[in-house]
């Protein structure tokens, strides 16, 4: 049985889950290119999206994160929030946060 506080949270609607890739859905790898999802993650994400809005947040680019997870109808958030998509797949809308970062030379 789940603790009462968790039961309260999971009965709220709409339910949403935000998951990171590196270190959560996949083990930390020596290089980003060598990272692979844990076995079974894709099928669990497909099941979870039937019950909740699932967002994948990553420091990777949105395209790299979506390619690695490769599950449609999820929200992908890349580059630590600078890129966002709604339901990556056939109806993808990517918004890059213009003007979010300002770079100045160090003196």
């Amino acid at each position: 049985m789940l603790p009462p506080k968790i039961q309260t949270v999971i009965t709220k609607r709409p339910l949403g889950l935000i998951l990171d890739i590196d270190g959560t859905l996949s083990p930390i790898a020596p290089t980003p290119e060598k990272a692979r999802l844990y076995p079974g993650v894709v099928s669990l994400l497909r099941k979870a999206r039937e019950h909740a809005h699932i967002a994948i947040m990553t420091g990777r680019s949105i395209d790299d994160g979506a390619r690695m997870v490769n599950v449609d109808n999820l929200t992908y958030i890349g580059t630590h929030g600078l890129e966002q998509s709604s339901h990556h797949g056939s109806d993808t809308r990517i918004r890059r946060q213009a003007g979010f970062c300002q770079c100045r030379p160090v003196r």
Side-chain angles (χ1 to χ4, degrees), residues 26-66:
S26 75
I28 299 294
T31 65
E33 301 78 30
K34 292 184 179 181
R36 300 290 179 266
L37 297 180
Y38 285 112
V41 163
V42 169
S43 63
L44 290 173
L45 289 172
R46 288 182 177 139
K47 288 179 188 175
R49 75 177 175 198
E50 296 173 14
H51 305 284
H53 184 101
I54 308 296
I56 306 297
M57 179 176 256
T58 182
R60 298 167 178 268
S61 73
I62 200 167
D63 291 330
D64 188 28

Side-chain angles (χ1 to χ4, degrees), residues 3-80:
K5 287 184 180 181
I6 293 177
Q7 286 180 347
T8 300
V9 169
I10 64 172
T11 60
K12 302 291 181 188
R13 296 293 179 259
L15 181 62
L17 297 171
I18 301 173
L19 304 165
D20 187 21
I21 295 175
D22 297 296
T24 303
L25 299 179
S26 75
I28 299 294
T31 65
E33 301 78 30
K34 292 184 179 181
R36 300 290 179 266
L37 297 180
Y38 285 112
V41 163
V42 169
S43 63
L44 290 173
L45 289 172
R46 288 182 177 139
K47 288 179 188 175
R49 75 177 175 198
E50 296 173 14
H51 305 284
H53 184 101
I54 308 296
I56 306 297
M57 179 176 256
T58 182
R60 298 167 178 268
S61 73
I62 200 167
D63 291 330
D64 188 28
R67 188 172 27 257
M68 185 175 179
V69 175
N70 197 29
V71 176
D72 286 338
N73 299 317
L74 304 182
T75 295
Y76 289 88
I77 303 165
T79 318
H80 302 290

